Amino acid sequence: AGLVDTLKGKGPFTVFAPSDEAFAKLPKGALEALLQDKEKLASVLTYHVVAASLPAEEVVKQTSARTVNGLPVAIQSTAGKVMVDGAHVIQADIHCNNGVIHVIDTVLMPPAK
């Protein structure tokens, strides 16, 4: 979707990265349709990225975060479990040179603008 240079940039970024199992849960044909529509694919991918470094200790203090897409994602933290727009964080704090990755169990779909 033309985002490689952006995400390889200085950052910092927080990426809520869907697991392989999250992609497998998409309806049949949904991933193929996204791959055919570069604009929609970029919208979905940037909805998973926040232009700030938010390690788990910071994520749990948030109720939302504005994504690179321009739309906010809701964040809920209860009983040690964190959810981002209804997706569960299944692995937190994978540190990278330009930020942090949190693995989630669902592909986030941005609401219609």
Side-chain angles (χ1 to χ4, degrees):
L3 299 174
V4 173
D5 288 337
T6 299
L7 295 178
K8 285 174 73 176
K10 185 178 178 182
F13 299 108
T14 297
V15 178
F16 296 104
S19 65
D20 290 343
E21 293 79 12
F23 282 103
K25 291 188 323 188
L26 288 172
K28 185 176 174 103
L31 183 57
E32 292 78 12
L34 275 175
L35 293 173
Q36 303 268 333
D37 185 342
K38 189 173 180 177
E39 185 176 326
K40 186 167 185 178
L41 178 60
S43 176
V44 170
L45 293 176
T46 56
Y47 191 62
H48 289 79
V49 180
V50 174
S53 182
L54 296 173
E57 66 187 25
E58 292 299 318
V59 170
V60 298
K61 298 175 188 175
Q62 309 298 315
T63 57
S64 69
R66 182 149 314 273
T67 66
V68 173
N69 173 299
L71 298 169
V73 288
I75 299 173
Q76 288 182 299
S77 179
T78 54
K81 304 280 183 186
V82 177
M83 294 179 68
V84 178
D85 263 15
H88 292 90
V89 174
I90 56 175
Q91 184 177 358
D93 287 343
I94 301 169
H95 293 279
C96 304
N97 289 338
N98 63 353
V100 63
I101 298 170
H102 304 296
V103 180
I104 55 176
D105 68 352
T106 303
V107 176
L108 303 177
M109 293 295 181
K113 290 186 180 180

